[in-house]
């Protein structure tokens, strides 16, 4: 049984220490960042090397490839994909063109991933952007500022990702659209009422609760729900809001457990997150000392998490089997749609 954690690594190749550690720790899967990306051949070798270290015959390899600010694969080896906000802006003027363009963009973007052995993209981001939030936190990463737009564009993005044989992860449960500080550095406090959160922030996720087999928390403190604990570490938020109110019964990852929004030692954070009801702790920075500490606190997947992981694996395999490769002219077609939308 795999350990309930996803790890990153430090560079473009696994060090001997990392290879030995991953073999012994046996994490559920891995995640890649820009520091791990150089050329297509290098990424394929790294992915294959990571997979060979663990007992799971098909460990998921995750990446954040949203387009715009958050994309790990970049030119010159990969296309330069537009931010989700570009499609949200276009949707107001021409909804059908925006949907067509976003679906195609997501298809091409996920096809890049599939060809590297990366089968999980941490999209769609279903946070409903609010006008008084810090634009540098969510901003043009958002698919819109109202529930209906986010849901429709989220579905379009997911359609494209799945067409390429890649599985999505909805984030950041139960909603990051009101953040006025960056959770990488500090803990955002959300003061909106429960009724407002329920009608806006949570509603966007409900539309996908039965479709997506994987989700990711955000590190925020919702004063109307749990005034003491950040959402990732809060049994109230995880069990009552994410699981019951939103209705998400899929495999639940934490956001990066090493982010500045969370206090305490990194191993303790992981233990508290699992105790709160998260299934898998996500640790991204590749720091060996922190990964070793986490292994002292986090054991194998629990029975419920293992069942959810099995369901997610079935979806991943189905998507691979049903995969459609884009035709060579699809990139030009996307360019034409984007140009017409900007005109």
């Amino acid at each position: 049984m795999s350990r309930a954690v996803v790890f990153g690594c430090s560079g473009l190749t696994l060090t001997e220490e990392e290879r030995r550690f991953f073999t012994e720790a046996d994490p559920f899967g891995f995640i890649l960042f820009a520091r791990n990306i150089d050329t297509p051949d290098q990424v394929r070798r790294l992915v294959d090397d990571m997979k060979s270290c663990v007992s799971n015959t098909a460990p998921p390899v995750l990446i954040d490839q949203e387009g715009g600010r958050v994309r790990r694969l970049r030119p010159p080896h990969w296309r330069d994909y537009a931010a989700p906000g570009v499609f949200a802006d276009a949707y107001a003027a021409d909804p059908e063109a925006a949907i067509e363009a976003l679906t195609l963009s997501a298809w091409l973007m996920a096809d890049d991933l599939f060809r590297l052995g990366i089968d999980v993209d941490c999209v769609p981001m279903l946070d409903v952007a609010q006008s008084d939030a810090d634009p540098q936190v969510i901003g043009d990463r958002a698919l819109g500022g109202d529930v209906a737009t986010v849901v429709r564009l989220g579905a379009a993005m997911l359609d494209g990702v799945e067409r390429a044989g890649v599985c999505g992860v909805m984030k950041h449960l139960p909603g990051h659209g009101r953040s006025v500080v960056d959770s990488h550095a500090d803990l955002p406090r959300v003061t909106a009422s429960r009724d407002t959160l329920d009608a806006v922030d949570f509603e966007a996720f409900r539309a996908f609760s039965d479709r997506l087999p994987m989700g990711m928390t955000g590190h925020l403190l919702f004063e109307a729900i749990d005034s003491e604990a950040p959402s990732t570490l809060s049994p109230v938020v995880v069990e009552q809001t994410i699981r019951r109110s939103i209705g998400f019964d899929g495999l639940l990852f934490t956001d990066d457990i090493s982010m500045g929004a969370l206090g305490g030692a990194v191993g303790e954070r992981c233990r508290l997150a699992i105790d709160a009801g998260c299934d898998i702790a996500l640790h991204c920075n590749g720091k060996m000392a922190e990964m070793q500490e986490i292994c002292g606190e986090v054991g194998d997947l629990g029975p419920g998490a293992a069942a959810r992981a099995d369901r997610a694996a079935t979806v991943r395999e189905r998507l691979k089997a049903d995969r459609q490769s884009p035709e060579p002219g699809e990139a030009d077609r996307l360019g034409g749609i984007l140009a017409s939308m900007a005109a």
Side-chain angles (χ1 to χ4, degrees):
M1 180 69 68
S2 299
R3 192 180 298 271
V5 66
V6 165
F7 283 135
C9 70
S10 60
L12 300 175
T13 61
L14 291 185
T15 66
E16 286 304 317
E17 182 183 25
E18 286 171 334
R19 188 175 285 107
R20 288 192 300 270
F21 171 75
F22 291 144
T23 300
E24 181 177 350
D26 198 20
F28 176 75
F30 298 94
I31 187 165
L32 298 178
F33 286 85
R35 65 177 182 273
N36 309 124
I37 308 296
D38 184 14
T39 68
D41 286 343
Q42 169 268 320
V43 176
R44 278 189 287 267
R45 286 193 298 269
L46 176 59
V47 169
D48 289 344
D49 206 8
M50 286 175 153
K51 291 178 178 179
S52 72
C53 292
V54 297
S55 62
N56 186 349
T57 57
V61 178
L62 289 66
I63 199 167
D64 293 290
Q65 189 74 355
E66 300 173 5
R69 286 184 287 150
V70 180
R71 64 197 194 285
R72 314 309 184 194
L73 309 182
R74 293 173 178 257
H77 296 292
W78 296 277
R79 299 179 189 90
D80 196 8
Y81 293 99
V86 170
F87 304 96
D89 290 343
Y91 184 84
D94 191 339
E96 297 310 315
I99 289 170
E100 181 183 8
L102 180 55
T103 304
L104 182 52
S105 179
W107 184 21
L108 293 167
M109 191 162 57
D111 183 67
D112 292 342
L113 304 181
F114 187 91
R115 293 177 185 276
L116 300 172
I118 302 167
D119 66 342
V120 178
D121 192 3
C122 298
V123 298
M125 198 181 75
L126 301 175
D127 306 311
V128 181
Q130 300 299 308
S131 59
D132 56 348
D134 183 346
Q136 295 305 309
V137 178
I138 299 299
D140 65 358
R141 297 175 63 194
L143 288 165
D146 64 273
V147 173
T149 300
V150 169
V151 168
R152 196 154 186 214
L153 290 180
M157 190 173 201
L158 190 56
D159 286 345
V161 168
E162 292 182 339
R163 189 180 299 173
V166 173
C167 191
V169 179
M170 66 174 169
K171 63 185 186 186
H172 303 85
L173 286 155
H176 213 312
R178 299 179 188 275
S179 179
V180 295
V181 298
D182 187 350
S183 55
H184 289 87
D186 203 354
L187 177 63
R189 301 183 71 94
V190 177
T191 60
S193 70
R194 175 58 193 254
D195 287 345
T196 297
L197 293 169
D198 195 63
V200 179
D201 305 65
F202 305 163
E203 188 64 20
F205 292 100
R206 288 192 183 103
F208 295 83
S209 62
D210 292 331
R211 176 172 177 180
L212 274 160
M214 293 184 282
M216 181 186 294
T217 67
H219 305 322
L220 303 94
L221 190 144
F222 292 88
E223 294 184 354
I225 305 172
D226 186 339
S227 62
E228 301 296 328
S231 47
T232 299
L233 310 182
S234 169
V236 177
V237 174
V238 174
E239 296 299 337
Q240 294 186 15
T241 300
I242 296 176
R243 295 299 192 193
R244 295 181 194 173
S245 180
I246 291 175
F248 178 69
D249 191 35
L251 191 67
L252 186 62
F253 299 88
T254 72
D255 203 347
D256 181 9
I257 206 72
S258 65
M259 289 165 64
L262 303 179
V266 69
E268 180 187 25
R269 300 177 188 188
C270 292
R271 177 177 56 78
L272 291 172
I274 300 297
D275 288 348
C278 295
D279 293 317
I280 294 175
L282 176 63
H283 181 265
C284 298
N285 63 30
K287 294 180 179 179
M288 180 58 67
E290 292 188 7
M291 293 191 291
Q292 290 170 336
E293 179 185 340
I294 288 168
C295 286
E297 296 282 353
V298 176
D300 293 345
L301 293 173
R308 289 185 283 269
D310 286 345
R311 293 200 299 269
T314 298
V315 173
R316 288 165 52 217
E317 289 304 312
R318 174 180 58 77
L319 291 173
K320 291 176 185 177
D322 295 342
R323 160 181 163 76
Q324 301 174 49
S325 297
E327 296 295 331
E330 297 291 8
D332 291 337
R333 184 163 74 90
L334 174 61
I337 299 171
L338 290 172
S340 66
M341 284 169 28

